[in-house]
Amino acid sequence: MDRRLFLGGAVATTVAFALGRHSMAASEETESTTADFPAINKTKSEWKALLTEQEYAVLFEEATERPWTSPLNKEKRDGTYICAACYLPLFHSDTKYDSGTGWPSFYQAIPGHTGTSRDWKLLIPRTEYHCARCGGHQGHVFNDGPKPTGQRWCNNGVALKFIPSSGELPELRA
Ligand SMILES: [Zn+2]
């Protein structure tokens, strides 16, 4: 096989894909992830019925909660942070740190459990991330975090539920 032809084809495909997605919607360039959990496919109105108004606004309309309002800012116990919509675990407490921003912050998400997209809401590109299972918006990831990753996963507290390690993780919502 001609290697140059092969590579050229791959690049063309990638560019066409990126352009296609971009013209569709600026905030929907979702990366694919390898799912090791059961799929979920609820409509927005089904989610609306299950969630509080604030949870729904953040998770499915990409609203941002006011800083310093989440009780999870002060949460320091060992445990797991799960998606408030579908209950998929997204962060472990040992990756949480105090970023001083007023939002719960982590230096790492559980691998494969989030997807990312570009977001141009503030006119500069930001990396939005969401639950890989239900698509619920969680927050934005920045490159000014602490070691070992240097990342800051800045999460809306209302989009997460904390399950202490003394408790039991709920079953994923069907
Ligand atoms: Zn979810």
Side-chain angles (χ1 to χ4, degrees):
M1 182 167 191
D2 185 321
R3 188 169 160 75
R4 272 180 311 164
L5 261 182
F6 172 75
L7 287 176
V11 168
T13 306
T14 306
V15 169
F17 176 77
L19 288 176
R21 300 290 293 202
H22 194 75
S23 59
M24 230 171 63
S27 64
E28 291 191 5
E29 293 170 34
T30 306
E31 285 173 12
S32 59
T33 49
T34 315
D36 57 354
F37 36 78
I40 187 167
N41 200 13
K42 279 194 196 304
T43 63
K44 286 206 166 184
S45 53
E46 286 174 311
W47 281 124
K48 204 162 197 170
L50 279 173
L51 301 170
T52 68
E53 210 170 297
Q54 208 200 356
E55 286 170 345
Y56 182 83
V58 169
L59 284 155
F60 295 103
E61 294 175 336
E62 290 198 32
T64 298
E65 77 185 2
R66 281 192 305 122
W68 310 108
T69 56
S70 172
L72 294 184
N73 279 314
K74 293 201 173 100
E75 182 56 68
K76 289 189 164 54
R77 289 174 291 168
D78 283 344
T80 307
Y81 293 83
I82 65 174
C83 170
C86 76
Y87 299 167
L88 184 71
L90 299 181
F91 297 98
H92 293 303
S93 60
D94 56 3
T95 63
K96 188 172 189 281
Y97 73 102
D98 185 359
S99 65
T101 59
W103 289 283
S105 302
F106 305 83
Y107 63 73
Q108 187 170 52
I110 295 176
H113 286 202
T114 55
T116 60
S117 68
R118 278 294 200 205
D119 162 334
W120 297 82
K121 278 189 183 161
L122 299 183
L123 300 179
I124 49 161
R126 292 185 301 174
T127 303
E128 179 276 349
Y129 66 91
H130 46 266
C131 170
R133 182 164 179 257
C134 71
H137 168 66
Q138 293 287 331
H140 291 86
V141 58
F142 303 94
N143 288 322
D144 56 7
K147 286 178 180 174
T149 61
Q151 295 174 343
R152 171 168 59 96
W153 295 72
C154 186
N155 215 104
N156 289 285
V158 74
L160 293 171
K161 287 188 190 300
F162 175 69
I163 311 295
S165 52
S166 56
E168 208 168 299
L169 287 173
E171 263 185 55
L172 297 182
R173 258 182 179 150

